[in-house]
Amino acid sequence: MQSTKPGEWVDTGTRLEEIDFTQWRMNIPTDRYTSPEIAEKEHERIWLKVWRVVGRENELPETGDWKEYKIGDQAYVIVRGKDGVIRGFVNACRHRGNQLCTGGGGNMKRFLCPYHLWSYDLDGRLRGVLREKENVVTPPEKEGLSLLPVPVECFAGFIFLNPDPAAEPLSEYIGQEIADLLAPYRLDEMYTVMDVRESLNCNWKVVMDAFEEGYHISGIHPELLRVIMIDPSTSRYKFFDKHSVSMAPFDVANASTYGAQEQVDGILELPGTFPSVQAHLPRFKELVDEYRTTEGELEFPDGVTARTLLQRATRETLTGMGLDVGELTDAQMSDNHGWVLFPNFFMTIRAGEATIIMAEPHPDGDPNKCFWHIKSFMWLPEEFREGFKIEPVQVEEPGSYQYFLALQQDYEQMPRQQVGLRNNRLEFMSLVKEEIVIAHYHSVVDRYLEGAV
């Protein structure tokens, strides 16, 4: 008997027509995108209370590797200890509060405060005090002056941090079902191939909203309409307490009415918008040629389409590279699943690759600005990893970084929406059914703002 694979959830996943649209409001107040008071409430009730991704485990491979993380006026440092454990601490010396680490990241043997030279072990324990005997700092006092820890845990290769010292375990926040659904992708084995952070002139939730629906594709990404199918009736949804996942099949537009060669031509156009498809095309073309007649005409038998051949080519290519895709379905070879992990993590993922978009409030507190952070990951054989190694990019000059086409179009669109949201007479946004993930997402925002979480 064939075992069930986690990705088969889409076979029974919720259809759009099965959703009770009264459970979450479809009108979203616009002041939550523009109000300084609401931004302050979000800081206190969301950002100081929830788990969020602050990096990748392989960004800190060696003992003493560290990086900074800031949210608003709060600053933390994450470091890999001598025991291999990644920990987080408030980035402040216990003596007079001086900032311990600056410059973004690096490697150190111990924490050393540059102000009065107090030092701490990588596990946060106070190690030494300048002129310790003269200042009569006793061992019990030193034990009480360790760095202030902050909850840090790892999942799927990501480092998560929660500023709340009483935070629930990350495993409870994520949930076992989500962990099981993501496990077959082997996210922890993927390597970063894009890492870009930039300030945007829009609220952080404008970024999240934009990636939680495909309704805007016809308006913002018309190029996609030539190569991928847009049919809301084929989408599937799964909602959790705070998080969600959705899926829309990845297929050539109008494939049902196309002949075999037209389907193949559509697949061959995909790398222009989805560059990672390129790696699977050599095997795809070989499989396609098996169905050519002696005259060179392409004929597919029942059950074979360009989509199924792309899925087979992807599975065979990734397996040949050394990635175990045995627990992924054929559909997961081609179909992106869109994950929303509250509050600021959106991920599209399919076999061998993932892209995440994260958004955070701007440090100056202006609700009309934010930072977005784009990271793409691929599974790579060991011999190719060094060749794909990249350095993080912090974009300082707006518009100077060119994203790939679809992302560039979103980048240009989101500030335009923020300008419209600032109009006083526009009291709420009106969602349509295809934007149900946004409605669910804002129901979680509501709960946090109301103090119900």
Side-chain angles (χ1 to χ4, degrees):
M1 184 175 179
Q2 190 174 9
S3 61
T4 301
K5 296 179 180 178
E8 292 175 8
W9 74 264
V10 299
D11 298 335
T12 56
T14 304
R15 302 168 183 263
L16 197 63
E17 64 268 23
E18 297 171 339
I19 295 174
D20 175 10
F21 290 92
T22 65
Q23 61 185 317
W24 305 306
R25 66 176 175 185
M26 303 295 284
N27 292 339
I28 309 301
T30 56
D31 61 353
R32 68 177 46 182
Y33 299 88
T34 61
S35 165
E37 291 76 23
I38 292 180
E40 180 61 29
K41 185 179 289 187
E42 288 176 346
H43 180 71
E44 295 296 329
R45 298 188 180 182
I46 296 179
W47 293 104
L48 297 184
K49 296 292 184 183
V50 297
W51 288 97
R52 85 293 308 268
V53 169
V54 296
R56 290 283 286 175
E57 289 185 73
N58 55 23
E59 293 174 8
L60 306 177
E62 305 295 335
T63 296
D65 285 347
W66 65 272
K67 65 178 296 180
E68 289 182 280
Y69 173 73
K70 299 177 182 178
I71 184 70
D73 59 357
Q74 303 298 297
Y76 308 96
V77 58
I78 300 102
V79 64
R80 187 179 289 276
K82 296 176 182 177
D83 55 1
V85 175
I86 297 177
R87 297 178 175 85
F89 303 99
V90 172
N91 192 5
C93 180
R94 293 300 306 279
H95 173 218
R96 297 260 298 278
N98 191 62
Q99 190 174 10
L100 285 169
C101 299
T102 59
N107 182 275
M108 59 187 174
K109 294 182 178 180
R110 65 184 186 279
F111 293 97
L112 180 65
C113 178
Y115 196 6
H116 298 97
L117 302 182
W118 282 32
S119 63
Y120 302 83
D121 286 326
L122 297 178
D123 61 6
R125 289 180 296 178
L126 179 60
R127 177 177 179 176
V129 173
L130 182 64
R131 294 190 287 277
E132 189 170 315
K133 292 181 180 179
E134 290 84 345
N135 285 297
V136 197
V137 178
T138 65
E141 288 174 322
K142 289 178 68 173
E143 290 180 11
L145 292 174
S146 297
L147 295 180
L148 296 170
V150 60
V152 164
E153 296 187 40
C154 297
F155 168 73
F158 292 103
I159 304 170
F160 284 75
L161 177 146
N162 191 324
D164 185 0
E168 64 182 321
L170 178 63
S171 59
E172 294 181 13
Y173 187 78
I174 296 292
Q176 188 59 51
E177 186 174 5
I178 291 176
D180 292 341
L181 290 173
L182 289 176
Y185 290 105
R186 300 183 179 272
L187 258 167
D188 58 321
E189 298 179 22
M190 293 187 188
Y191 283 79
T192 306
V193 295
M194 177 183 180
D195 187 348
V196 183
R197 187 172 183 267
E198 182 172 358
S199 175
L200 296 181
N201 288 322
C202 66
N203 187 271
W204 65 276
K205 295 183 296 299
V206 166
V207 176
M208 295 305 298
D209 294 349
F211 293 94
E212 292 173 0
E213 49 88 4
Y215 188 54
H216 71 278
I217 289 176
S218 298
I220 303 302
H221 311 302
E223 295 82 5
L224 296 186
L225 300 178
R226 296 199 306 268
V227 293
I228 64 171
M229 175 182 66
I230 305 296
D231 183 358
S233 68
T234 62
S235 295
R236 298 293 180 267
Y237 303 88
K238 197 173 187 64
F239 297 104
F240 304 91
D241 179 44
K242 300 181 180 73
H243 319 297
S244 67
V245 59
S246 57
M247 183 285 304
F250 188 81
D251 203 356
V252 175
N254 304 311
S256 61
T257 60
Y258 278 172
Q261 188 61 55
E262 290 174 301
Q263 292 180 36
V264 170
D265 291 342
I267 294 292
L268 296 179
E269 285 187 52
L270 290 174
T273 305
F274 302 98
S276 60
V277 174
Q278 187 71 43
H280 312 303
L281 290 186
R283 181 55 181 153
F284 172 74
K285 292 175 182 178
E286 292 177 353
L287 294 173
V288 167
D289 286 342
E290 294 178 7
Y291 295 93
R292 293 194 184 277
T293 66
T294 54
E295 293 78 23
E297 295 295 318
L298 188 60
E299 297 178 358
F300 288 153
D302 289 345
V304 175
T305 66
R307 168 182 162 86
T308 63
L309 292 181
L310 178 62
Q311 291 171 349
R312 180 179 165 189
T314 301
R315 184 180 293 279
E316 292 180 3
T317 301
L318 291 173
T319 300
M321 291 167 61
L323 176 61
D324 181 359
V325 294
E327 286 302 303
L328 294 173
T329 66
D330 287 340
Q332 286 174 297
M333 297 297 108
S334 60
D335 297 347
N336 281 304
H337 289 199
W339 282 91
V340 180
L341 300 183
F342 191 83
N344 71 325
F345 180 100
F346 174 80
M347 174 174 66
T348 58
I349 186 169
R350 62 178 180 150
E353 62 178 305
T355 295
I356 65 169
I357 293 94
M358 297 181 290
E360 291 185 347
H362 198 278
D364 69 9
D366 184 350
N368 297 288
K369 297 191 295 184
C370 73
F371 273 95
W372 82 338
H373 196 168
I374 315 297
K375 301 186 78 163
S376 290
F377 310 94
M378 291 177 60
W379 192 91
L380 296 166
E382 187 172 353
E383 61 267 27
F384 294 127
R385 293 169 189 169
E386 189 63 28
F388 279 84
K389 190 174 182 179
I390 52 92
E391 293 296 327
V393 175
Q394 177 65 57
V395 181
E396 301 295 347
E397 181 65 30
S400 63
Y401 186 89
Q402 190 68 28
Y403 300 92
F404 61 82
L405 180 59
L407 205 57
Q408 182 69 26
Q409 291 166 330
D410 288 312
Y411 168 83
E412 295 170 359
Q413 161 59 31
M414 291 182 292
R416 293 196 291 264
Q417 182 185 359
Q418 187 69 28
V419 173
L421 289 170
R422 297 176 72 168
N423 284 284
N424 292 334
R425 291 187 59 193
L426 186 68
E427 297 181 357
F428 56 85
M429 301 190 310
S430 304
L431 303 181
V432 299
K433 290 183 177 180
E434 287 181 49
E435 297 169 316
I436 189 60
V437 174
I438 298 178
H440 172 266
Y441 175 79
H442 280 271
S443 75
V444 184
V445 173
D446 287 339
R447 287 159 51 196
Y448 274 94
L449 292 182
E450 293 164 1
V453 181

